[in-house]
Amino acid sequence: MHVPGFAYNPIMLFVEGAIIGFLIALPVGPAAALCIRRSITAGAVAGYMTGVGAALGDAVFGAVAAFGLSFVESFVARNEAWLRGIGGLVLVVMGWTTMRHRMRAVGDPVPDDREHQIATHFHFASSSFFITVFNPLTVMAFGAAFAGRDLAGVGGSLPDAATLVAGVFCGALAWWAILCTASVALRQHFTGKGILWLNRIAGAVILAFGVVALISLLPLPWRHWARVLELT
């Protein structure tokens, strides 16, 4: 148990944050589907930028939990349905667009100016960032993880909280770097119809997460069914 006035070890704090960030980023979701698809179809930079956006989203919620921003947590809890609904709609649109993505044909114009590259990289990062922050479960996961590791009081010190959040970002980014690197290694095996089917599968996965989020908004006894499944 953390004693008031006790100073956290900054190295251990960073390591704990990195482990928490890595583990929370680990479950495969729509951001992972985006990262894999972009790494294979658009290259390593596209995959890494997608991972950077997702890691920044994790860092935002890590900061909410670390600094004890209860008003943000209560806002998320009060508006969970709206956040899930908006996130679900975004995922459905993104999934459908990905499934119908047309591969570039010979002769298609390919902008190579610096402004276009910056805009494209920003799109890669921002899309995964918004997918992450519109998941209300993320802030709850960080809150539970920090409470379980007795890190709830770290927000009393700005350097300690910043160290913890930096660890969360680096840990999450490490997972995305691993996923992107593994996907790029498989890139040579995807050509023609392989890329077409990759777009369809990745889009279907993203769309499915969106549909599930929207279905969860229906007034059905989800918690009762969850308890029944836990008892079986």
Side-chain angles (χ1 to χ4, degrees):
M1 181 177 294
H2 178 65
V3 179
F6 174 78
Y8 288 97
N9 182 314
I11 296 177
M12 293 305 299
L13 201 59
F14 181 87
V15 170
E16 286 207 63
I19 293 173
I20 291 172
F22 185 90
L23 293 178
I24 290 181
L26 196 57
V28 175
L34 267 185
C35 183
I36 294 170
R37 179 234 169 198
R38 288 173 176 172
S39 298
I40 293 175
T41 61
V45 174
Y48 287 132
M49 291 306 297
T50 301
V52 167
L56 283 173
D58 286 332
V60 167
F61 279 143
V64 169
F67 285 99
L69 302 179
S70 57
F71 65 94
V72 176
E73 294 181 359
S74 61
F75 172 83
V76 171
R78 288 197 311 270
N79 299 278
E80 181 183 353
W82 282 101
L83 293 173
R84 252 187 299 149
I86 295 172
L89 287 174
V90 170
L91 290 177
V92 167
V93 173
M94 188 177 295
W96 180 251
T97 304
T98 301
M99 290 176 66
R100 294 177 57 84
H101 181 74
R102 182 181 69 86
M103 291 188 302
R104 184 179 290 114
V106 176
D108 284 353
V110 182
D112 58 356
D113 55 282
R114 185 172 181 82
E115 289 77 9
H116 174 77
Q117 293 176 2
I118 293 174
T120 301
H121 294 161
F122 177 78
H123 166 69
F124 289 149
S126 61
S127 57
S128 57
F129 174 82
F130 283 112
I131 285 176
T132 304
V133 297
F134 271 104
N135 182 3
L137 296 178
T138 307
V139 67
M140 300 176 189
F142 275 110
F146 285 1
R149 295 300 301 163
D150 199 23
L151 298 171
V154 74
S157 167
L158 179 60
D160 287 345
T163 300
L164 182 63
V165 174
V168 167
F169 174 76
C170 291
L173 191 61
W175 161 245
W176 294 112
I178 292 171
L179 184 64
C180 177
T181 302
S183 301
V184 170
L186 298 174
R187 191 181 184 191
Q188 60 182 342
H189 300 292
F190 286 84
T191 57
K193 288 186 176 180
I195 293 180
L196 181 63
W197 278 103
L198 176 66
N199 286 333
R200 291 174 177 173
I201 293 172
V205 170
I206 296 170
L207 190 147
F209 274 100
V211 170
V212 169
L214 293 177
I215 291 176
S216 69
L217 297 176
L218 296 176
L220 297 173
W222 301 112
R223 294 184 179 178
H224 172 71
W225 291 346
R227 286 196 295 268
V228 170
L229 290 175
E230 290 176 359
L231 294 175
T232 57

